């Protein structure tokens, strides 16, 4: 079974992020790493291909400056190859433009199944998985906490607030996985060495048959009008126990309609 995993490469979250003052988008000039959220998709893809007894995992990533550092991490985990779309014309691409680019690259890989994370870590919209499904005309299952593939179908336990729903869709399908769905493996030394020689197919917007007018700033349907710091968390109320603390806590919880 051939699985495509969408692998976003993001600025290291350990370093303070910086916004471009003009475009208000995240600066992505330095080395980019594999988004932690996508390590779950990579692991899930590897396990599903293993279980099927054949096939491989292909990574698809759109990133600036021909960046492959994050892809090498996923290749070291065991993915077989990658498609990287990197092109100056992509600067300013919003979620829909990103989905158009990834969808075109995914078509090239002819997968049975596409895995994404539920949302990325750096500047997430959480829109991309459903946009991919719409553009490809394939079924979409979101928030997967467990996936099995049998008889040409993806059978998924879909996380809900109360527990999970069991849903299934014919392949090919797009499934977004939640964090914690599996334990991503650490790349072994052998894996890291092997990853250096694994193929990364670098393509441009034109190679994918897309027009530069549909992507980048020109094609963006979203505009970032303002970015403001998140509101600081207010100090909580401290309940000193003068014999009636339990009553005041009950009152407080009743006010919140928690009890
Ligand atoms: C107006 C605007 C301008 C922007 N300009 C830029 C820019 O100049 N440069 C820039 O780098 N970004 C830019 N962005 C952000 C970029 O478009 C996002 O990467 C894109 O919107 C993807 O959406 P997301 O991260 O919100 O995806 P989500 O829907 O949160 O992601 C879900 C999953 O989709 C997959 N995925 C998402 N993005 C990628 C990717 N690129 N490659 C592979 N898999 C992916 C991952 O599995 C991810 O976990 C801009 C966004 C907007 C709205």
């Amino acid at each position: 079974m051939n699985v495509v995993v969408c692998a976003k490469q993001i600025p290291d979250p350990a370093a303070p992020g910086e916004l471009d003052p003009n475009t208000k988008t995240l600066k992505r000039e330095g080395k980019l790493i594999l988004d932690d959220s996508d390590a779950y998709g990579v692991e899930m893809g590897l396990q599903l291909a293993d279980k099927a007894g054949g096939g491989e995992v292909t990574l698809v990533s759109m990133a600036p400056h021909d960046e492959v550092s994050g892809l090498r991490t996923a290749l070291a985990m065991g993915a077989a190859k990658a498609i990287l779309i990197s092109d100056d014309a992509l600067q300013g691409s919003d979620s829909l433009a990103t989905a158009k680019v990834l969808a075109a690259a995914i078509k090239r890989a002819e997968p049975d199944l596409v895995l994404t994370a539920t949302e990325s870590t750096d500047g997430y919209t959480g829109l991309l998985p459903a946009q991919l499904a719409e553009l490809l005309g394939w079924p979409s299952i979101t928030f997967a906490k467990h996936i099995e593939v049998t008889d040409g179908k993806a059978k998924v336990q879909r996380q809900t607030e109360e527990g999970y729903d069991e849903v299934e869709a014919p392949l090919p399908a797009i499934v977004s996985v939640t964090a914690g769905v599996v334990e991503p493996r650490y790349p072994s030394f052998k894996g890291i060495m092997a990853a250096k020689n694994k193929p990364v197919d670098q393509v441009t917007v034109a190679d994918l048959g897309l027009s530069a007018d549909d992507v980048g700033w020109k094609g963006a349907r979203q505009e970032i009008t303002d970015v403001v710091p998140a509101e600081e968390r207010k100090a909580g109320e401290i309940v000193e126990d003068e014999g009636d603390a339990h009553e005041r806590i009950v009152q407080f919880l009743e006010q919140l309609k928690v009890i």
Side-chain angles (χ1 to χ4, degrees), residues 12-259:
D12 190 342
E18 217 185 312
L19 292 178
D20 181 311
N22 299 319
T23 65
K24 302 183 188 71
T25 57
L26 196 59
K27 283 193 182 172
R28 295 159 196 264
E29 284 151 8
K31 181 184 162 186
L32 303 178
I33 63 168
L34 176 67
D35 189 341
D36 257 356
S37 310
D38 285 324
Y40 297 101
V42 174
E43 180 61 42
M44 178 57 89
L46 292 170
Q47 289 188 15
L48 288 170
D50 257 9
K51 237 188 201 167
E56 58 186 19
V57 170
T58 302
L59 309 165
V60 171
S61 187
M62 172 180 136
H65 321 304
D66 299 336
E67 179 61 79
V68 290
S69 306
L71 289 177
R72 292 283 171 216
T73 304
L75 291 168
M77 287 171 71
K81 57 187 195 302
I83 302 175
L84 170 70
I85 315 98
S86 200
D87 191 322
D88 287 346
L90 291 170
Q91 222 188 342
S93 294
D94 61 5
S95 173
L96 182 58
T98 307
K100 284 179 187 168
V101 170
L102 295 181
I106 288 167
K107 268 194 211 152
R108 284 187 154 209
E110 299 182 352
D112 301 300
L113 180 68
V114 179
L115 298 179
T116 70
T118 298
E119 57 191 23
S120 57
T121 312
D122 59 340
Y124 59 87
T125 61
L127 295 171
L128 198 117
Q131 288 174 327
L132 274 184
E134 180 66 23
L135 289 166
L136 290 164
W138 296 349
S140 157
I141 301 180
T142 51
F143 297 101
K145 69 186 213 70
H146 180 78
I147 308 173
E148 270 175 45
V149 174
T150 42
D151 308 326
K153 284 183 192 157
K155 298 185 176 179
V156 171
Q157 290 176 359
R158 185 179 183 277
Q159 186 81 54
T160 64
E161 274 182 29
E162 291 82 27
Y164 63 86
D165 293 331
E166 287 183 345
V167 288
E168 56 180 52
L171 300 180
I174 316 279
V175 180
S176 71
V177 301
T178 55
V181 67
V182 279
E183 185 63 39
R185 68 193 71 181
Y186 282 108
S188 63
F189 180 67
K190 199 172 149 210
I192 294 168
M193 296 313 285
K196 292 183 199 281
N197 296 318
K198 288 186 177 173
V200 177
D201 184 13
Q202 297 210 14
V203 295
T204 62
V205 170
D207 292 336
L208 294 174
L210 295 170
S211 156
D213 290 342
D214 287 335
V215 297
W217 294 114
K218 272 193 201 163
R221 313 266 178 98
Q222 283 169 283
E223 188 190 345
I224 302 168
T225 53
D226 201 5
V227 179
V228 290
E231 210 176 299
E232 276 193 34
R233 219 173 150 182
K234 293 189 184 96
E237 186 189 331
I238 296 170
V239 178
E240 302 271 1
D241 190 10
E242 287 159 11
D244 63 346
H246 60 287
E247 284 169 15
R248 285 161 62 203
I249 289 172
V250 168
Q251 261 174 21
F252 176 72
L253 293 175
E254 276 174 350
Q255 252 176 30
L256 292 178
K257 299 197 169 31
V258 175
I259 55 172

